[in-house]
Amino acid sequence: MSYKTIFTAITSFESNKVALEQAAALAESHDAHLEVMCLGVDRSRANYYEAGANAIIMQAAIEEAHNKAEAVRVQTVAWLEKATLRWNASNAVATLADAGRPLTRTARFADLCVVPLPYRDDSHDGDTLILETMLFDAACPTIVVPDTQGQAIPENVVIGWNESSEALRAVRSAMPILSAAKSVHIAIIDPPEHAADRSDPGGALAVMLSRHGVNCDIQVMSRGGAKVSERLQRHVTETNSQMLVMGGYGHSRFREAVLGGATREMLEHAKAPVFMAH
């Protein structure tokens, strides 16, 4: 099993370059094809359209988005031409409210998506939309890359395991990466006392991974007063791991947006790439 199509979407070459580098490195290591979408976002106020805006204003906003997308594509192509991999770069333009449509059309046919961390000082308002589109609308497993680029093939990986269907899908989707890793640590934090696997938490997952040739161990930990996201981040550091695999957005997007959640907390403080699936 390997990845054959890797997709990334960028709205700014400079602020999204780390994600592009990670996507290219993954594509090269898996002999995959890299699809890059250079997205120009029309950020005009919605009431321009609702009120029947002057056609000149609307056309100017669309042209600006086209120009931004083309500028990003020119920079991206210049960078990719130096790489030794198969790739193509395309342009797309959409309003912020409708940006998910062109993304979904391409991302849903990819094996893996790579996006920049959406919660950074230089993040664009489209970065969160891109991440959510990949996970929810395209249903594509996604690697979220922080400012510091991770290894294309991480040697040590932590799995944040909580028995959820999202976590299991993330593990299955990450199997090419897990199989290539030297060690995989299954991290279980405060497992329920009355869970079905209370006598052997994580045991069934370890068996599944071992049958794929994955060298893994199980580590059951207490939060110790910290948030689950903080404890997982600490474990990634303690094990010198270069990637965290976990389920994403176990609750609805609305609840996560209003109340927050482990996914957002994890991404806000991520120091290593996070592999997620919903």
Side-chain angles (χ1 to χ4, degrees), residues 250-271:
H251 300 295
S252 69
R253 271 183 285 188
F254 178 76
R255 179 174 173 180
E256 291 270 354
V258 175
L259 301 178
T263 303
R264 181 178 179 120
E265 290 169 356
M266 178 62 67
L267 295 179
E268 284 180 340
H269 305 289
K271 299 294 188 294

Side-chain angles (χ1 to χ4, degrees), residues 100 103-104 115-116 118-119 125-140 142 144 249 251-258 263-264 267 276 278:
L103 292 170
T104 302
V115 301
Y119 308 113
D125 47 7
D127 290 343
T128 302
L129 173 66
I130 290 173
L131 169 60
E132 292 188 351
T133 297
M134 304 306 182
L135 290 175
F136 287 91
D137 301 325
C140 187
T142 301
V144 185
Y249 294 97
H251 300 295
S252 69
R253 271 183 285 188
F254 178 76
R255 179 174 173 180
E256 291 270 354
V258 175
T263 303
R264 181 178 179 120
L267 295 179
M276 296 196 303
H278 176 73

Side-chain angles (χ1 to χ4, degrees), residues 62-188:
I62 293 171
E63 288 181 1
E64 182 181 2
H66 273 288
N67 292 338
K68 287 181 179 178
E70 178 59 19
V72 173
R73 192 191 69 84
V74 168
Q75 291 177 290
T76 300
V77 168
W79 187 86
L80 286 170
E81 285 178 339
K82 303 173 185 176
T84 56
L85 55 95
R86 298 187 305 277
W87 58 270
N88 69 283
S90 60
N91 285 14
V93 172
T95 63
L96 188 59
D98 196 42
R101 186 176 302 179
L103 292 170
T104 302
R105 277 201 304 267
T106 303
R108 65 195 294 258
F109 295 107
D111 299 313
L112 180 66
C113 294
V114 181
V115 301
L117 191 69
Y119 308 113
R120 298 166 296 140
D121 292 339
D122 62 344
S123 292
H124 293 265
D125 47 7
D127 290 343
T128 302
L129 173 66
I130 290 173
L131 169 60
E132 292 188 351
T133 297
M134 304 306 182
L135 290 175
F136 287 91
D137 301 325
C140 187
T142 301
I143 296 179
V144 185
V145 185
D147 290 333
T148 303
Q149 183 180 355
Q151 296 175 222
I153 304 179
E155 294 184 352
N156 304 310
V157 179
V158 169
I159 296 174
W161 182 242
N162 61 358
E163 289 285 343
S164 69
S165 57
E166 291 87 3
L168 182 57
R169 182 162 188 266
V171 170
R172 284 178 171 150
S173 301
M175 199 63 74
I177 292 174
L178 298 175
S179 298
K182 290 183 178 179
S183 62
V184 174
H185 311 286
I186 302 172
I188 304 171

